[in-house]
Each structure stands twice: as C-alpha cells, then as structure tokens.
Amino acid sequence: MTEAIVYERIGDIAVLSAQNPPVNALSIDMRRGLLAGIERAEEEGARAVLIYGEGRTYFAGADIREFGKPMVAPVLPDLCNRIEATKLIVVSALHGTALGGGLEVALSSHYRIAVPGAKMGLPEVHLGVIPGAGGTQRLPRIAGIDAALEMITTGRPISAADALNKGVIDRVAEGSPREIGLAYTRELLEQGAPRRPVCYMPLPDPVDFDDTYEKVLARGRGQLSPAIAVRAVQAAWEAESFLDGVRQERELFMQLMETDQRQGLIHAFFSERAVSKLPELTEVTPRDIASMGVIGGGTMGAGIATTALLSGLSVVLVERDDDASAAARDRIEGNLKGALKRGKVDQAQLESMTVEALTIATDYADLSEVDLVVEAVFEDMAVKREVFAALDAHCRPGAILASNTSYLDINEIAAATSRPQDVIGLHFFSPAHVMKLLEVVVADQTAPEVVASGFALGKRLKKISVRSGVCDGFIGNRIMNSYRRAADYMVLDGASPYQIDKVMTEFGFAMGPFAVADLAGLDIGWAARKRRAPTRNPRERVVQFSDMLCEGGDFGQKTGKGFYAYEAGKRGGSANPQVAEYIKRDQRDQSVTPKSFSNEDILRRYMCAMVNEAAKVVGEGVARRPLDVDMVLLFGYGFPRFWGGPLKWADLQGPAAILDDIRRYAKEDAFFWRPAPLLEQLVNEGRIFDDLNREVT
Ligand code: 3H9
C-alpha cells in the first residue's frame, strides 16, 4: 500500500506528496505523514519543504468521515502550527480544490503557488462548523478583514486569480503542481528568501464585529455556523497571542461539532452524493441521450426545455398551435435571458441554443428522431394517455417516453403504449431550470437501462435525482400533502395560517406552507381535492376554507389574493382579511370550538405529520432509504439543510418521542394520525432511520 504522504529528497528540498484519493482528505494517516515529513526534513538538514497533492487535488479539507469520532493526534491545528514554526522554508503548490483544512495547511506554509485552475476556500460553515485549524486567524492577516469575512462566512471558494489578487497566494503558474512547486522553491532558495510565517503578520484594522455578527446571523435563517465564524475571526483581535486566538477558534469549532446542525449538514453532504448511486444500476449502461422532445410549452415544459438546452441537448418542443408555440418560445427565451444575466451563458451560446438547438413544432411527427420525450401537459389521465398513444406511434424504437406528472399513475400511462418498458416518470419541480430536484419514477415494467438513463440525464442536467416508486404524489408531493393537511387541521382547530407560516420560517424554511400554496396556485390543491373526493374515506376530516377562497376566484399570487393579499411591485403579501372569515365559517359549519396552539405545538404537529408519512413512504418501498426522502425534501421543498431532512430531524429528536406525540394526537383524530408501521418497528427495535441508510448498499 502506498503511504498517505510520500517523502522524497530532491537536493535541498524535501518533497511531501499527498496520495489519498479521491480528494486527499486530511485523515489521521495524512496528518501523521505530514508531521513525520517535516521532522525528517529537519533531521536530514533539508533547507526547504514542498507540499503538494498527487491526483486531482491538493487537500480538499479535513476528513469529514472522522467528524463525531474521538480526535486522534496530531490534530490539524497543532500540525498547522508545527508546519508554520519549522525553521525550514515551506512551500505549498495548489491545484484542484484547496478547501477547509487544506487551505489551512497552505496558509501555514510560508509561500503558496497555484495552477490557474485551482480553487480555494474555507467551506466549513456548510458543514455546520468553522475553520478549526487557524483559518480564521491567518486569513484576515493575509487577505484583509473584508475578504476573510466574506470567504469564511459564505464558504464560497475563490479562483486562483482572485486569490492572487487578495494576497492569499503568491504566484500563479502553468504546469503540474510538482513542477511549479519545485521551480518556485528552488527560486526562493536561490534568492535566500526568508521564512514568512503568517502568524507574525500584523492584523488589519478591525470592523464592528457585533454588527457583522447580527447581519450574518440574520442571513443564515437559523443556521449558526456563519455567525459563530464571525466570533472566531474577532478572537484574532481579542486574543492575548496568536496561539491564544487559535485556541479560542478551536473552542468554538468544538462547540459547533457537538450541535445537531453539524450532524444535519454532514448528513446532507453525504446523502447528496449517495442518493443517485443505485447498486442495481452499477452494471447497467444508460441509453445515449443527445436530443429531447418536450410536449407542452407552459411554465413547466418551457422550464424543462430550458434546462435541457443549458446542458447542451437539442430540443424539439411540441405545442398545439402557432400561438401556443410562440408563447412557449417567449418563455424559453425569457428563461435563457435570465441565465445570460446571471452569467451562466454568453450571448453566442444563447443564440446557438435558441436558433440551432431549439425547434418548436406543432406535429408529433417532428419527434421521430429524438432520444427521449418528456410530456408536460395538463394533469389529466385521459389527456396523458392520448399523448402517450401518439408518442408510441411517432417515436423511434428505443426512445424513452417520460411523463412529468406530479401525481398520476405511471403504470396506467405506460399501458397506453405498446412499450411500457420504455416509459418512466421524470418529475421536475418548477421552475425546472432552477430547481435541483428530479424524481425518477420507476413503474412496474420500466427497463433498468431506462432507469439508468433517467439518472444519467439528471446528472447531465445537474439535478439531484432520487428514485421513487409509483404512488399518488410520489415521494415529495405525497409527504407534502400530509403535512399540508396537518397545517389545515391546525387552522380549522384555531391556529392562524400566519402563525404557522411564521413558526415554519423560524424553523428554517424560506416560506411557510400557506405562502407556498399562494405561490404555487391554490387551484392546484383545489383540483386535487376534487379529484380525491369520490374515493375519500368518510373518516377523513375535510377543511373547507381553502375551497371557499378558490370559489371566490382567489388562487394566490397569480390572482393577487390568496391567504395573503399582494400588491403589485411589492415583495410578499399581508394577511388577507377574508381568510379569517372563511375559517370562522368553516369552524361554525363543522361545529369546531377553536383553541390556541403554542408555536412548539405547531412545529411538532407539522413535523410529526411529515415524518410519519415519510416513514410510510420508506416502509412501503416507494423510497428506498430514509436519505432519499431527506434529499427530496431538501432539494424540492425548501426543507432547511441544517436539519439534514425530516428523517434526520426525527433521528435527532428520537423516533420514540415522535411516536409518543403521534399517538397523543391520534386521540383527537385517529384516522389522520395512524402511526407508520416502520416508525413503530424502529422504536420497538431501539433503532433510528439512519440505521436503514447503512443497510442498503
Ligand atoms: C475542515 O476542513 C475542518 C477544518 O477546518 C478543521 C479540522 C480540525 N472528507 O464531491 P465528490 C468524498 S471541514 C471525506 O463526489 P467532486 C466524497 O464523499 C472540510 N470525504 O467529488 C466522495 O465520496 P464517494 C472542508 C470526502 O469532484 C468523494 O470524496 N472541506 C471529503 O464533485 C468525491 O467527492 C470541504 O468541505 C472530505 N473532506 O468534488 C470540502 N470531500 O465517492 C468537501 C469529499 O464515496 N468536498 N469526500 O461518494 C467537496 O466540496 C467536494 O467533494 C470537492 C470534490 C469539491 C472536493
């Protein structure tokens, strides 16, 4: 086995190369190797040390897999201090992504050189911690206070050119990190350049840290780490010495290490990567997809066409007539202009997308050559079946036929074709060129390579793809339907929609459920309720106040009124006074005596409904793993990332406590609050949801 850090002598220079693929994470072996390398270089009388990474990157940070386990010496802050303190000249040569602890090792070196494509940053806040190896103490000294605060509190990496500009590195050069590192170290030795420890550099003028802390805290919407990072930077000014500053930083780092937020964010980091790795697809080759058909050019169809164009696919969009085609083209061009504004494409790319790559047609015959078609027409089974019969008649053999339905049964849609093995659900979220989530809905007869193609397409479109089985609403909308109902019941029983929205935004959602409903359009839920009415169980409680709004023509933002009243040109809305009247009428009609709900009670009921339905979705196999549900809620429904997802949240609360609450609520409404069998099973076995994530490999 290769050593994690390989030691080599080239003349006066001791070369320490990291060999820990894929990202040279600073695991215990790496830390030991670096320490041993420095000591050996000193003992052997080398004059300089060069540190670089083999493979695709310099160190991408501490080894996150070690978080939460006992720390083993040498810990990174001590190692960084030791590197900085050596009497030899230390040079780091950066390529790939020098992140977190990686950049901290580089900052402890005396000189830094990077290849032009290198990126560097301190992204620790995204993992719920802060730089814990001197990053908050060294970066302000070298890059100035504004740049340091920006990098540390946002976690955003910067380019090599920007880093040079800010003084984070000394030079940018073309070549391999080994070549440029050796050349630079030789040059420094020839010039007799001195050691240049960052810890001795003077601090710049401070800022108003309390003010910065408050601003960063507010921006974090409940996430703590960015604000705590401000306090760590502040310690550089208040500490008795540089090492005291590092010690204070370490204390804050260790405090954050103990938080639920750190656990939630690390869960999100690994789950985001695990979610689209399906063991059954490792040996399956996806079909080639270079061109995509889209049926329907409304908001959804235009968004799907936009995301496809942005990823380099050619698109044939089919609309019913010339007017609808022109409107679809306008929507797509509008979306692409937005991408141009945000710097995602340049003018030439935009033109080639709209002129060469996009065809708008009114005839299904134009789809005869495409590799995959996504249907995004009206949510009606008869309409969908008609569309799929037409696709079956016109598309070439082997073309994948996908539906973007949010609720309907893909098996029934597939049955309208002679090739159910080629039919799949690809459920995008609106706006499809912005939202990251893609539910890949696998029907009974969908062929494995069609599933693999769905995931390959998702990757190409830069989506987070999650496998879902068929059920009403698939993973996300089915769970949303349940927690929305819990919210509606609370309103019927006396909570105000605005109190619920406030509680959920304080929990970390960008918007509460009633503001979201206004944004999505209240008519969607209205139609779904009407569709379900004939098969509804008579034991189910039904609220009427939302229907009353819709009957009055108030569908939310698009009509100017819903739960909130909106004024043109103003962000957000204010409470719509009619809503209170409708709720009162509903309570009267159903003989409900309203009661008050504490914020804690609201949060608990809302989350218990979400967790309970999520547990049913996993228990029934609609989602394979709890982490699949977590990623759907994170990327499609604005669930706060720092909680990791509803089932991670449930683990952190303790599944037994959640089950107790559900049983308590069931005394009021035994039909809605039926506990999920999987939740009961986990509690009986003394296990948590995360145990199931580890079982499926
Ligand atoms: C820190 O440094 C704290 C210090 O301040 C103080 C300490 C005392 N550890 O993303 P990819 C795995 S906090 C362990 O698919 P890419 C990853 O799970 C750290 N494993 O590749 C995946 O595994 P698998 C600060 C890690 O090219 C594989 O490597 N650093 C780590 O799309 C490939 O990853 C960060 O926050 C890690 N640090 O992106 C950087 N990083 O193949 C976090 C990755 O089994 N990492 N893995 O699924 C990243 O942002 C991206 O991985 C990176 C590469 C940009 C580096």
Side-chain angles (χ1 to χ4, degrees):
M1 201 183 95
T2 348
E3 294 207 26
I5 298 287
V6 170
Y7 182 96
E8 206 185 335
R9 260 309 276 282
I10 302 182
D12 283 334
I13 306 171
V15 179
L16 309 185
S17 58
Q19 326 246 350
N20 187 20
V23 298
N24 282 323
L26 285 153
S27 61
I28 177 60
D29 288 346
M30 298 278 276
R31 302 196 300 272
R32 282 188 183 131
L34 282 170
L35 180 61
I38 296 283
E39 284 171 349
R40 184 167 162 194
E42 287 170 345
E43 278 160 23
E44 284 185 0
R47 290 174 60 211
V49 177
L50 168 66
I51 303 174
Y52 78 95
E54 280 293 340
R56 67 195 221 209
T57 183
Y58 187 77
F59 315 106
D63 188 338
I64 307 169
R65 286 173 216 275
E66 290 179 1
F67 282 16
K69 298 182 186 154
M71 302 267 176
V72 183
V75 293
L76 204 54
D78 294 347
L79 176 64
C80 287
N81 293 342
R82 178 70 178 81
I83 291 172
E84 189 172 56
T86 181
K87 295 287 169 267
L88 315 181
I89 287 184
V90 185
V91 178
S92 270
L94 279 45
H95 78 302
T97 43
L99 298 176
L103 184 58
E104 290 175 303
V105 170
L107 291 172
S108 320
S109 309
H110 304 141
Y111 294 90
R112 288 155 292 280
I113 184 168
V115 302
K119 287 211 160 70
M120 47 219 84
L122 293 173
E124 286 88 342
V125 292
H126 297 309
L127 301 173
V129 291
I130 57 171
T136 63
Q137 307 300 296
R138 289 189 178 92
L139 195 60
R141 286 178 157 87
I142 202 165
I145 183 70
D146 293 339
L149 279 171
E150 164 78 13
M151 282 178 72
I152 293 168
T153 60
T154 66
R156 265 197 296 274
I158 58 173
S159 65
D162 200 6
L164 184 65
N165 207 14
K166 290 183 160 69
V168 178
I169 55 175
D170 304 292
R171 189 179 285 188
V172 176
E174 300 269 2
S176 72
R178 182 183 171 90
E179 283 160 11
I180 63 168
L182 275 171
Y184 188 41
T185 313
R186 283 194 189 107
E187 191 183 312
L188 288 166
L189 285 177
E190 275 160 24
Q191 288 169 355
R195 288 169 64 250
R196 207 187 39 169
V198 175
C199 67
Y200 294 143
M201 294 181 183
L203 280 165
D205 288 341
V207 292
D208 180 342
F209 285 111
D210 288 343
D211 182 55
T212 309
Y213 173 86
E214 292 302 335
K215 283 189 182 132
V216 173
L217 189 65
R219 208 172 58 201
R221 267 208 222 109
Q223 191 182 330
L224 296 173
S225 48
I228 301 295
V230 174
R231 294 300 187 212
V233 173
Q234 183 178 359
W237 278 262
E238 293 175 1
E240 285 165 13
S241 64
F242 178 82
L243 288 182
D244 183 41
V246 174
R247 188 192 54 73
Q248 289 190 35
E249 172 200 76
R250 180 81 177 158
E251 239 172 65
L252 293 170
F253 174 86
M254 294 307 283
Q255 280 169 20
L256 285 169
M257 197 63 130
E258 297 305 314
T259 57
D260 287 349
Q261 293 201 355
R262 191 274 298 165
Q263 289 199 50
L265 286 163
I266 299 267
H267 173 76
F269 178 87
F270 285 118
S271 300
E272 193 177 333
R273 286 159 176 79
V275 73
S276 28
K277 285 186 188 142
L278 271 63
E280 73 270 25
L281 296 182
T282 43
E283 306 285 305
V284 182
T285 311
R287 294 182 191 165
D288 287 334
I289 298 172
S291 57
M292 188 199 270
V294 178
I295 313 291
T299 307
M300 189 45 109
I304 295 171
T306 307
T307 184
L309 290 167
L310 285 171
S311 73
L313 294 173
S314 66
V315 172
V316 180
L317 186 140
V318 175
E319 256 298 357
R320 10 170 236 290
D321 53 36
D322 291 345
D323 284 351
S325 299
R329 182 171 279 282
D330 279 353
R331 280 189 200 102
I332 296 170
E333 288 182 355
N335 292 342
L336 289 172
K337 279 185 193 141
L340 177 74
K341 237 194 213 156
R342 289 193 302 277
K344 300 227 181 251
V345 287
D346 59 29
Q347 186 64 38
Q349 286 168 317
L350 183 142
E351 267 158 35
S352 116
M353 283 173 196
T354 48
V355 178
E356 286 153 39
L358 175 65
T359 310
I360 309 237
T362 50
D363 193 340
Y364 277 62
D366 287 295
L367 296 170
S368 60
E369 297 299 318
V370 298
D371 302 316
L372 172 142
V373 188
V374 184
E375 158 282 310
V377 300
F378 190 62
E379 283 286 87
D380 178 281
M381 183 54 87
V383 177
K384 303 258 183 204
R385 284 179 59 93
E386 229 172 78
V387 168
F388 272 76
L391 291 177
D392 193 20
H394 288 96
C395 291
R396 65 168 178 75
I400 295 169
L401 311 182
S403 173
N404 178 56
T405 177
S406 351
Y407 286 97
L408 301 176
D409 184 345
I410 308 281
N411 287 312
E412 213 179 316
I413 294 174
T417 73
S418 62
R419 36 175 144 170
Q421 73 281 1
D422 292 335
V423 177
I424 193 165
L426 290 178
H427 182 210
F428 290 84
F429 288 71
S430 191
H433 57 296
V434 176
M435 294 292 285
K436 293 277 279 177
L437 180 63
L438 176 67
E439 282 180 326
V440 178
V441 187
V442 180
D444 291 350
Q445 296 188 50
T446 311
E449 82 261 20
V450 172
V451 182
S453 309
F455 276 91
L457 177 72
K459 193 168 178 192
R460 173 148 190 192
L461 302 182
K462 299 201 177 69
K463 303 288 178 203
I464 301 289
S465 310
V466 184
R467 183 196 191 283
S468 172
V470 176
C471 70
D472 193 351
F474 314 125
I475 298 176
N477 280 345
R478 173 168 161 187
I479 295 170
M480 182 183 70
N481 183 36
S482 182
Y483 63 78
R484 274 301 325 235
R485 270 165 63 198
D488 283 349
Y489 293 156
M490 284 190 273
V491 170
L492 183 62
D493 290 333
S496 101
Y498 315 106
Q499 185 191 1
I500 296 177
D501 275 1
K502 187 159 177 290
V503 170
M504 295 325 296
T505 48
E506 279 170 7
F507 178 73
F509 279 93
M511 293 166 92
F514 294 96
V516 168
D518 270 4
L519 179 67
L522 300 177
D523 46 330
I524 299 176
W526 193 31
R529 285 191 295 278
K530 282 197 256 185
R531 181 162 53 79
R532 289 197 191 102
T535 54
R536 191 182 285 141
N537 190 305
R539 290 173 64 206
E540 183 181 326
R541 291 181 87 195
V542 181
V543 302
Q544 304 288 351
F545 57 83
S546 299
D547 293 358
M548 293 178 198
L549 265 171
C550 293
E551 282 153 14
D554 295 332
F555 295 156
Q557 283 200 17
K558 60 184 168 192
T559 58
K561 244 199 256 169
F563 286 96
Y564 296 83
Y566 301 89
E567 267 176 60
K570 247 178 122 182
R571 252 180 105 90
S574 52
N576 173 4
Q578 279 169 318
V579 171
E581 283 171 36
Y582 292 145
I583 295 170
K584 265 198 206 122
R585 199 197 307 165
D586 201 357
Q587 288 164 341
R588 235 185 4 249
D589 292 351
Q590 304 205 40
S591 309
V592 173
T593 313
K595 57 178 182 178
S596 66
F597 286 80
S598 69
N599 289 350
E600 172 57 24
D601 197 14
I602 287 176
L603 176 66
R604 207 64 196 178
R605 284 170 187 259
Y606 193 84
M607 288 304 300
C608 282
M610 196 184 299
V611 169
N612 201 35
E613 195 64 29
K616 288 179 187 170
V617 161
V618 176
E620 291 167 22
V622 172
R624 286 273 179 79
R625 301 160 293 188
L627 73 83
D628 293 351
V629 169
D630 285 343
M631 294 306 101
V632 165
L633 270 291
L634 236 58
F635 289 101
Y637 296 81
F639 192 92
R641 187 178 170 97
F642 58 79
W643 280 114
L647 293 178
K648 181 67 189 174
W649 179 87
D651 279 352
L652 290 166
Q653 310 307 305
I658 306 265
L659 182 59
D660 281 350
D661 282 350
I662 290 172
R663 287 184 174 145
R664 201 156 41 80
Y665 306 145
K667 291 190 185 126
E668 300 161 15
D669 178 354
F671 181 74
F672 180 69
W673 291 106
R674 279 163 299 168
L678 179 66
L679 179 61
E680 291 180 313
Q681 186 193 331
L682 287 177
V683 172
N684 284 339
E685 293 169 355
R687 299 193 319 151
I688 58 173
F689 287 103
D690 203 29
D691 293 328
L692 304 178
N693 288 327
R694 284 189 274 270
E695 273 170 18
V696 186
T697 50

